[in-house]
Amino acid sequence: MDQEGGPGDGGAGRRGGAGGSSGGEGWPYDGGDERRARGGGRRGGRRKGKGGRNQGWLPDGPDEGSATGTQAHADPESVARAICLRLLTMAPKTRAQLAEALRKREVPEEAAEAVLSRFSELGLINDEAFAEAWVDSRHHGRGLAKRALAAELRHRGVDSDTVNEAVERLDPDQEAETARRLVERKLASTRSLDPQVRTRRLAGMLARKGYPSGLAFRVIREALEQEGIEMEEGFPDS
């Protein structure tokens, strides 16, 4: 996904005006967004590559000093491809995230949709793979449970069916084991506190990571009982 060899169709190399670009004839791409993004119209300051060579890129598209950025009527599909490839090189993105980036850069909707569809066909955009990788990484790296993972994916524009399919791959036993590890890490720092206070703090930590209350209190009860602390009757564990 990080290669720069993007799709070759859709008008790469065409220019506006008589060329008839898909985003509307004479669509101006004058680098104005780049100037604003770089702070109040500051000129110059192009990014440099090895040996001081001008790369012509900002983090999300062409620099106003580059060949692409200075063309008064650049082909909108070419610009959209350049922006998407740059963003995908930096990190995986969902289709919705790329669409929002193109919208902010004022790429015409027709051109944006054409490029996004082509990238999806080529596998450069794959929300299903993104969601699966996200669940695996965030669960093992941050200890997040299904609820929190689903919220993060929806925030990134992944559709509900794809979200549900991705989070359901997380085994309930694995989720419970991760909750136990999280509680074990926190136990030592709470030993000077009243058991009820410890319980609230541990439950709050698990809730922020998306664990359901039943699982959270069951794991906390197990951990405290291992320390010889008997919890009162009515301790919520389901």
Side-chain angles (χ1 to χ4, degrees):
M1 188 177 296
D2 59 355
Q3 66 269 27
E4 291 288 333
D9 65 320
R14 292 180 302 172
R15 299 295 177 261
S21 67
S22 63
E25 190 170 75
W27 173 70
Y29 185 86
D30 61 1
D33 285 337
E34 289 82 4
R35 288 193 292 273
R36 287 189 292 273
R38 295 175 70 165
R42 179 171 58 86
R43 296 184 180 275
R46 303 173 192 170
R47 296 183 61 181
K48 302 293 183 180
K50 295 181 179 179
R53 182 171 58 86
N54 177 31
Q55 297 296 298
W57 290 99
L58 288 174
D60 58 349
D63 190 347
E64 72 268 23
S66 68
T68 303
T70 55
Q71 288 160 1
H73 301 292
D75 172 26
E77 286 193 17
S78 296
V79 174
R81 279 194 296 274
I83 292 171
C84 288
L85 283 171
R86 184 62 176 174
L87 291 173
L88 290 169
T89 298
M90 296 167 64
K93 301 289 183 185
T94 65
R95 180 171 178 141
Q97 287 177 310
L98 293 172
E100 177 65 10
L102 296 179
R103 185 193 66 77
K104 288 181 177 179
R105 302 300 292 276
E106 299 183 358
V107 174
E109 183 177 352
E110 182 181 354
E113 182 62 27
V115 170
L116 293 173
S117 295
R118 183 57 176 159
F119 274 38
S120 295
E121 291 173 6
L122 294 173
L124 295 172
I125 301 173
N126 187 329
D127 282 3
E128 290 79 9
F130 178 96
E132 290 179 9
W134 188 271
V135 168
D136 184 69
S137 174
R138 298 286 283 176
H139 177 73
H140 291 96
R142 296 291 302 278
L144 300 186
K146 291 180 180 179
R147 186 175 62 192
L149 292 166
E152 289 188 341
L153 288 171
R154 291 191 184 99
H155 180 69
R156 285 156 179 80
V158 180
D159 68 81
S160 294
D161 289 342
T162 301
V163 169
N164 292 336
E165 184 177 347
V167 298
E168 287 306 316
R169 294 175 66 250
L170 182 58
D171 184 73
D173 291 338
Q174 174 63 51
E175 192 174 39
E177 183 58 31
T178 301
R180 291 187 183 96
R181 288 200 302 270
L182 291 169
V183 169
E184 288 171 3
R185 293 174 189 171
K186 193 76 173 176
L187 273 178
S189 65
T190 65
R191 286 198 175 105
S192 62
L193 303 174
D194 178 82
Q196 293 296 330
V197 176
R198 296 179 77 185
T199 297
R200 287 196 297 273
R201 291 196 179 182
L202 293 168
M205 178 269 294
L206 291 176
R208 288 189 295 273
K209 290 182 177 291
Y211 289 89
S213 60
L215 172 60
F217 283 112
R218 184 170 70 251
V219 168
I220 295 167
R221 174 191 283 275
E222 292 172 358
L224 294 179
E225 287 179 347
Q226 287 178 2
E227 292 188 350
I229 299 174
E230 293 294 332
M231 301 306 299
E232 300 177 358
E233 289 296 325
F235 182 87
D237 59 0
S238 62

